[in-house]
Amino acid sequence: MDKMILLKDGIIVPVDGKRRSFQGSVLIGGNRIEEVGDVRETNVDRVIDCSHKIIMPGMIDTHIHLAQALLRGCADDLPLIQWLNERVWPLQSTYDEELGSLSAELCVAEMLLSGTTTFLESGLHTRYGIDGIAKVVERSGMRGFISKMFMDTPYYARHRMYEGMIEDKDESMKEFSTLYERWNNRADGRIRIAFGARTPGACTPGLYREISEKAKTLDTVVTLHFCEIKEDVSFLKREYGMSPADFLDHCGLNNNRVTLAHCVWFDSENIARLKANVAHCPSSNFKLGSGIAPVKEMLDWGVNVTLGCDGAPCNNTYDIFRDLWLSSLAQKLMNPKALSAEEPLAMATVNGARALQIDAGSIVPGRLADIITIDLKPHHVPVRDPASAIVYCAKGSDVCDVLVDGEVVVENRVLKTINLEELMDDVGNKGLLPDKRAGRFL
Ligand SMILES: [Zn+2]
């Protein structure tokens, strides 16, 4: 019989589209939510006391770079192209499989401890050792979409890509098939293999179409960075004579299997035609000076906007609560009525589930038991509106318990699946990378 867990007597924020919250309990049977509300405590294997806690869906981060956790602090205060060409790519091109796994473990530990239960990886280079990274995710208990990077042209914008980051398309396709066979739907379905295409400039429309077709056949998702900076839009105009929406249509990318990271530079005409999901990454956009994505307008047009932390060199954390808060304030800059607390909350949970086509993101019977609790502290109370307390007051460090697929992965702020002391020692020993250009370690 399935293991039964009762999350007892908390403030439930179900994020079920009804804009409500209530006092009650959540009964979990196996990996699914069985009952929500007034639940009787009979025949349960375990009770987690949730008095003075908020119970909410686990966060779904739709744009992260697992391999960038070790690059935290290596590229502050630079604009995107310089940031990539002079810092991120030269350092990432020194990675081997050991560093790839170490970075992924650091990233996953941070995400779980701050309440993220599912991630969509943006795209992994073969040199990071994707097999090893999948093993890290399997062990961690997290749910994750692990994307293989694809490219068929060695350029980004007008710049030739850093040598160590260039990959061969046919080799990538072969590796994708092996990964898909070995890992897709493994770990009780927690691990999925996805397509992580590079930006236009590194991929031809033909490659995008091929990936899009394959994703449909294999029932998986596609992600890419898109219109992150102004130059991305002028590149499409100059190279293809197309607007962003024209280009997406042309490449078979304008559909609900595709998640576009950033979309900062989208005007009304293009937003109105957008059928793909958007991963909004406000911290990254602010820090790299890329701009503010027109999220309010996207939501008004019915675009499925989700939330992403991006990477450690541009955020510099994977604590999605910070992006949740900033996603709201960025839209309110000129209009305090732009968003209510419920909208960013949906972006970080149920909208992410819709983009990834998984049965999570809400506390509703039948859904996957990916749930977090937040214990209330002085900076949350009095709680007049729990959604407001989550969006405007909460921090990742307030997350108390994390359940993924019905398993308790974080209990009372202790991560059960990763030895943090060993991890910190490993990062201390190997975390600094040789920067050949600067002639020192970073
Ligand atoms: Zn990114």
Side-chain angles (χ1 to χ4, degrees):
M1 213 179 98
D2 284 340
K3 188 170 66 180
M4 308 291 275
I5 299 176
L6 184 69
L7 300 175
K8 192 180 169 191
D9 270 340
I11 303 169
I12 301 174
V13 181
V15 199
D16 60 357
K18 294 181 187 150
R19 296 185 176 233
R20 59 185 180 138
S21 55
F22 48 88
Q23 191 76 30
S25 303
V26 179
L27 180 66
I28 297 160
N31 71 341
R32 298 272 166 180
I33 296 167
E34 291 222 333
E35 280 182 67
V36 179
D38 198 8
V39 181
R40 275 193 305 144
E41 189 184 331
T42 48
N43 294 331
V44 289
D45 299 289
R46 185 166 175 192
V47 177
I48 297 174
D49 177 21
C50 292
S51 46
H52 310 293
K53 286 181 188 171
I54 288 174
I55 305 172
M56 63 171 286
M59 299 292 207
I60 298 178
D61 192 328
T62 54
H63 185 67
I64 59 132
H65 295 261
L66 289 166
Q68 288 186 357
L70 285 181
L71 304 187
R72 201 185 317 268
C74 79
D76 293 335
D77 316 322
L78 295 171
L80 181 70
I81 304 278
Q82 211 182 343
W83 177 91
L84 266 176
N85 279 320
E86 293 179 13
R87 286 299 162 119
V88 172
W89 282 343
L91 288 170
Q92 280 194 308
S93 70
T94 67
Y95 269 48
D96 56 16
E97 296 182 1
E98 199 181 351
L99 287 173
S101 289
L102 180 60
S103 185
E105 194 169 15
L106 185 60
C107 182
V108 164
E110 186 185 351
M111 287 194 286
L112 283 171
L113 283 166
S114 54
T116 295
T117 49
T118 300
F119 66 81
L120 170 60
E121 155 64 43
S122 160
L124 295 166
H125 194 292
T126 300
R127 68 177 313 130
Y128 311 151
I130 305 175
D131 216 46
I133 290 174
K135 282 179 193 153
V136 167
V137 178
E138 182 180 37
R139 275 200 308 272
S140 74
M142 198 165 185
R143 193 181 300 286
F145 283 68
I146 300 173
S147 308
K148 169 73 195 93
M149 175 80 77
F150 279 90
M151 60 183 288
D152 61 353
T153 316
Y155 285 88
Y156 171 61
R158 270 158 291 153
H159 299 262
R160 190 175 160 80
M161 197 170 285
Y162 197 82
E163 211 49 52
M165 298 308 290
I166 295 171
E167 290 188 278
D168 178 78
K169 182 205 126 183
D170 294 334
E171 290 297 318
S172 296
M173 279 296 175
K174 251 189 258 166
E175 189 182 4
F176 182 92
S177 300
T178 311
L179 285 167
Y180 187 87
E181 282 297 312
R182 190 177 299 158
W183 285 105
N184 195 55
N185 274 324
R186 269 275 291 274
D188 300 321
R190 280 190 291 109
I191 294 182
R192 300 278 300 276
I193 299 296
F195 290 96
R198 279 205 182 272
T199 46
C203 295
T204 59
L207 175 57
Y208 286 135
R209 279 193 287 268
E210 190 180 338
I211 284 175
S212 177
E213 280 305 311
K214 282 208 159 87
K216 222 183 290 169
T217 312
L218 297 172
D219 188 24
T220 188
V221 301
V222 179
T223 188
L224 64 146
H225 295 74
F226 197 67
C227 295
E228 180 173 358
I229 55 174
K230 217 174 185 173
E231 286 92 318
D232 291 334
V233 180
S234 42
F235 175 84
L236 297 177
K237 193 91 218 149
R238 192 174 64 243
E239 293 296 315
Y240 298 101
M242 290 184 195
S243 70
D246 284 339
F247 186 78
L248 292 173
D249 284 341
H250 178 65
C251 297
L253 292 172
N254 201 6
N255 62 70
N256 66 355
R257 270 185 201 284
V258 176
T259 296
L260 305 168
H262 303 296
C263 296
V264 173
W265 295 92
F266 253 71
D267 60 18
S268 310
E269 217 173 287
N270 284 279
I271 290 171
R273 293 170 55 195
L274 200 48
K275 296 190 195 78
N277 310 288
V278 171
H280 174 44
C281 307
S283 296
S284 165
N285 300 152
F286 270 59
K287 186 155 179 277
L288 291 169
S290 306
I292 298 176
V295 168
K296 158 83 177 138
E297 206 178 345
M298 289 177 184
L299 292 172
D300 287 347
W301 277 102
V303 175
N304 187 43
V305 183
T306 65
L307 211 53
C309 285
D310 210 343
C314 63
N315 183 317
N316 292 3
T317 89
Y318 296 92
D319 172 359
I320 200 167
F321 280 84
R322 302 203 329 172
D323 282 89
L324 182 68
W325 171 80
L326 189 55
S327 69
S328 167
L329 265 63
Q331 301 305 308
K332 288 174 182 290
L333 186 62
M334 306 302 283
N335 173 14
K337 292 183 171 177
L339 297 181
S340 66
E342 278 83 2
E343 285 162 306
L345 194 53
M347 281 159 45
T349 53
V350 69
N351 292 9
R354 193 177 306 137
L356 299 175
Q357 309 186 354
I358 56 171
D359 227 2
S362 297
I363 298 191
V364 171
R367 295 274 172 110
L368 289 165
D370 293 2
I371 300 174
I372 62 175
T373 71
I374 293 170
D375 57 349
L376 297 173
K377 294 187 184 148
H379 61 273
H380 301 114
V381 294
V383 180
R384 294 191 167 80
D385 170 9
S388 161
I390 295 167
V391 175
Y392 304 126
C393 313
K395 300 177 270 195
S397 53
D398 299 335
V399 171
C400 190
D401 310 291
V402 177
L403 288 89
V404 185
D405 216 37
E407 295 291 333
V408 181
V409 181
V410 176
E411 184 180 359
N412 207 10
R413 292 200 176 77
V414 177
L415 181 53
K416 314 296 279 182
T417 52
I418 294 174
N419 184 328
L420 282 191
E421 232 169 277
E422 277 175 21
L423 175 62
M424 299 300 273
D425 279 349
D426 285 348
V427 172
N429 292 335
K430 300 170 200 144
L432 296 181
L433 308 171
D435 179 0
K436 289 177 196 138
R437 290 181 183 188
R440 62 192 160 99
F441 283 83
L442 274 176

